[in-house]
């Protein structure tokens, strides 16, 4: 049981490049989400999903797209990276009935030059 | 959206000391969560509180759900080096409802423990 996995661990992009951050969970959780963490600002919700085919925006969705084609996977896409998207990105998952107990992945550290 | 304010922002303590930190909100919350983030890793849930006045322990950690429902406290007794990390409070983004995991996080308290 791997829990929540994220790839890559580190990534450097140039402004304007696109990329996809991968997230997968093997706990059959309905709920999955993406957060970004910036110094002194805690974690801020980007997008979330309550099940396959259902996604919604969080607090800071601009510049990011998501889709949920399977229960296990929830990729985050940056269509045109900007320096303001330099951050650490965390994926999390939980059962809908126990959403307070979210399991976080190890994070992806992204630097946009 | 809801905002949570944590204090202090950072703490430097000696091993064996007790630690107290708190989290406040301008809105009423019906759930308070405390997470810990070890360096280089994702946050892990420590304690969940669901009722005003509730006091819950997890080993050396004790958390309380404030009576006003606008604050929560986390205490760590007899700190050890592995307590180092960032402690976050969190609650439902819409404060009173079932927001299916839309959590709002405080900015975190950075704890450093000197051996």
């Amino acid at each position: 049981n791997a829990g929540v996995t994220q790839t890559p661990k580190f990534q450097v992009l140039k402004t304007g490049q696109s990329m996809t951050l991968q997230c997968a969970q093997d706990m059959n959780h309905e709920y999955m989400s993406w957060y970004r963490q910036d110094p002194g600002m805690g974690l801020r919700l980007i997008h979330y999903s309550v099940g396959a085919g259902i996604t919604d925006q969080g607090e800071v969705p601009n510049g990011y797209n998501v889709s949920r084609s399977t229960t296990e996977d929830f990729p985050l896409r940056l269509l045109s990276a900007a320096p303001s998207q330099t951050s650490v990105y965390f994926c999390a998952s939980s059962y809908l009935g126990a959403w307070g107990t979210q399991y976080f992945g190890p994070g992806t550290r992204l630097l946009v030059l | 959206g809801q905002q949570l304010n944590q204090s202090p922002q950072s703490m430097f303590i000696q091993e064996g000391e007790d630690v107290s930190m708190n989290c406040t909100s301008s809105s009423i919350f019906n759930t308070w969560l405390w997470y810990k983030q070890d360096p280089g890793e994702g946050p892990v849930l420590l304690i969940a509180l669901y009722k005003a006045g509730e006091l819950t322990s997890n080993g050396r950690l004790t958390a309380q759900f404030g009576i006003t429902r606008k604050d929560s406290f986390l205490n760590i007794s007899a700190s050890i080096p592995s307590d180092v990390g960032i402690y976050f409070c969190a609650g439902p983004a819409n404060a009173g409802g079932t927001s299916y995991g839309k959590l709002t996080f405080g900015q975190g308290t950075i704890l450093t423990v000197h051996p």
Side-chain angles (χ1 to χ4, degrees), chain A residues 31 35 37 40-43 45 48 50 57 90 96 99-102 104-106 109, chain B residues 31 33 35 37 40-43 45 86 88 92 97 99-103 105-107:
Chain A
Y31 179 87
Y35 293 86
Q37 182 178 23
M41 299 188 72
L43 290 93
L45 183 66
Y48 68 100
V50 298
Q57 296 180 348
F90 289 99
L96 279 182
W99 57 264
T101 309
Q102 295 202 24
F104 283 81
R109 285 148 183 79
Chain B
T31 299
L33 307 165
Y35 281 82
Q37 183 179 27
E41 300 188 10
L45 182 68
I86 305 176
F88 292 103
S99 52
Y100 290 126
K102 289 181 68 175
L103 293 179
F105 282 81
Q107 72 271 42

Side-chain angles (χ1 to χ4, degrees), chain A residues 82-103:
Chain A
S84 61
Q85 293 179 305
T86 293
S87 188
V88 182
Y89 292 86
F90 289 99
C91 179
S93 72
S94 71
Y95 291 114
L96 279 182
W99 57 264
T101 309
Q102 295 202 24
Y103 295 84

Side-chain angles (χ1 to χ4, degrees), chain A residues 55-93:
Chain A
T55 64
D56 204 348
Q57 296 180 348
E59 180 185 357
V60 288
N62 292 340
Y64 308 95
N65 282 348
V66 293
S67 60
R68 182 99 177 267
S69 57
T70 67
T71 299
E72 294 78 19
D73 301 297
F74 191 44
L76 178 71
R77 281 182 286 277
L78 284 70
L79 298 179
S80 179
S84 61
Q85 293 179 305
T86 293
S87 188
V88 182
Y89 292 86
F90 289 99
C91 179
S93 72

Side-chain angles (χ1 to χ4, degrees), chain B residues 28-48:
Chain B
I28 290 174
F29 276 69
N30 60 9
T31 299
W32 285 96
L33 307 165
W34 285 94
Y35 281 82
K36 182 196 177 192
Q37 183 179 27
D38 288 332
E41 300 188 10
V44 174
L45 182 68
L46 297 174
I47 293 177

Side-chain angles (χ1 to χ4, degrees), chain B residues 13-102:
Chain B
I13 63 171
Q14 292 293 128
E15 182 177 0
E17 290 183 357
D18 296 342
V19 173
S20 292
M21 59 189 79
N22 68 74
C23 187
T24 60
S25 169
S26 58
S27 302
I28 290 174
F29 276 69
N30 60 9
T31 299
W32 285 96
L33 307 165
W34 285 94
Y35 281 82
K36 182 196 177 192
Q37 183 179 27
D38 288 332
E41 300 188 10
V44 174
L45 182 68
L46 297 174
I47 293 177
L49 302 161
Y50 300 105
K51 186 177 178 181
E54 180 181 358
L55 189 70
T56 298
S57 294
N58 178 4
R60 293 178 296 105
L61 277 63
T62 301
Q64 184 164 21
F65 192 138
I67 289 293
T68 65
R69 297 171 65 191
K70 292 184 177 182
D71 55 13
S72 180
F73 306 88
L74 177 70
N75 296 313
I76 305 173
S77 62
S79 60
I80 59 178
S82 63
D83 290 334
V84 165
I86 305 176
Y87 292 79
F88 292 103
C89 62
N94 66 348
T98 54
S99 52
Y100 290 126
K102 289 181 68 175

